[in-house]
Amino acid sequence: MRVSARDIERAWDALGTLRGWDFSKVRDARGPTPWDYDDVVRAHLRPEHRVLDVGTGGGERFIGLASEFRHGVGVDAARSMLGTARDNASRAGAHEMTFALMDAAALAFGEASFDVVLTRHVQIHEEQIARVLRPGGLFITQEVGYDNTLNIWPAFGWDREAWGWDTDTVLAALVPRLRDAGFHIRTQCEYDVPYMFLDLESFLFWIRSVPFPEEVTLDAHGDALLRFVRDNSSADGIHTNEQRILVVAEKVA
Ligand SMILES: C[S@@+](CC[C@H](N)C(=O)[O-])C[C@H]1O[C@@H](n2cnc3c(N)ncnc32)[C@H](O)[C@@H]1O
């Protein structure tokens, strides 16, 4: 992929804005992965379940699972996300789902209120999750791994450790925390696969939208963007890696 500074400027100016947490317009490809988050969650859901999704964003994932359980509550600390989530649920006909403004560190639900708690790509507060789960209930989480998109960090002069990536991103650190909070680990796994943006617009939209140590702007990062694309492209696309961790844990009675 041959790219000039002018190509980057043109693509940048035409980028749309992120709505909720919707990356469906990003054209990408990844190496084979050992699991798919939606499939894993679906396999554990039952029609009678009460399910909580913490850090639900615009509910994009959660709403897609609505037909699998009885009652779903999505919570998020950002008010703007809740408006999007309610709108998305209404469009999808998921009228039974509710959404609330709430901090994951202070879940405003009673003990044993849920059969399943989900978190995907959001900080885990395991004591809160253990408290609101019934004994025997399941906590299912997929998190971004510590070594995710590894070539991005040095190319933009960012330091992962200084930014404070925490133990949610490393299985060997997360699993003991969950055990200490009263969980039995049913499944723990990790993948790290090649990941590729299929066009320049998709890469720019992604890097401008996901949390990094600083907001990516054309003024501040134009040179770094051009260098990264030139150094990490093939005819197929722009290359990095995707690392994810997955845990399915049961609250011990
Ligand atoms: C990376 S997005 C993931 C959204 C969604 N779970 C998904 O996988 O598409 C993280 C979400 O967590 C929310 N969030 C971050 N910190 C939070 C907290 N302390 N309590 C509740 N939500 C939080 C953010 O507002 C954002 O919507």
Side-chain angles (χ1 to χ4, degrees), residues 21 37 53-61 75-78 81 102-105 119-123 125 211:
W21 213 252
Y37 172 80
D53 186 31
V54 182
T56 197
E60 290 84 5
R61 298 279 164 169
V75 299
D76 202 284
M81 290 291 169
M102 206 176 291
D103 186 347
T119 63
R120 181 178 179 276
H121 305 184
V122 64
Q123 196 178 357
H125 292 271

Side-chain angles (χ1 to χ4, degrees), residues 71-94:
H71 183 56
V73 184
V75 299
D76 202 284
R79 193 176 293 278
S80 61
M81 290 291 169
L82 294 174
T84 304
R86 290 185 182 119
D87 189 39
N88 285 341
S90 163
R91 288 186 203 190

Side-chain angles (χ1 to χ4, degrees), residues 27-171:
R27 294 183 60 242
D28 57 7
R30 55 179 61 67
T33 62
W35 75 83
D36 171 81
Y37 172 80
D38 290 353
D39 290 346
V40 170
V41 175
R42 210 170 261 122
H44 289 91
L45 293 175
R46 303 287 173 265
E48 68 277 14
H49 277 167
R50 302 156 298 166
V51 184
L52 173 66
D53 186 31
V54 182
T56 197
E60 290 84 5
R61 298 279 164 169
F62 194 34
I63 292 165
L65 298 162
S67 60
E68 310 289 332
F69 50 75
R70 178 164 66 86
H71 183 56
V73 184
V75 299
D76 202 284
R79 193 176 293 278
S80 61
M81 290 291 169
L82 294 174
T84 304
R86 290 185 182 119
D87 189 39
N88 285 341
S90 163
R91 288 186 203 190
H95 302 297
E96 304 301 310
M97 299 183 87
T98 57
F99 295 90
L101 187 65
M102 206 176 291
D103 186 347
L107 296 176
F109 302 104
E111 280 183 29
S113 297
F114 295 98
D115 303 290
V116 176
V117 176
L118 307 173
T119 63
R120 181 178 179 276
H121 305 184
V122 64
Q123 196 178 357
I124 296 168
H125 292 271
E126 62 274 16
E127 287 85 6
Q128 293 289 309
I129 293 165
R131 183 178 60 75
V132 303
L133 265 178
R134 69 162 165 81
L138 292 182
F139 172 47
I140 307 174
T141 185
Q142 176 179 287
E143 293 297 326
V144 174
Y146 187 74
D147 291 332
N148 190 54
T149 60
L150 209 46
N151 55 353
I152 294 279
W153 297 82
F156 287 81
W158 297 328
D159 182 338
R160 287 182 297 166
E161 284 185 24
W163 193 46
W165 277 64
D166 60 28
T167 58
D168 288 6
T169 64
V170 180
L171 267 182

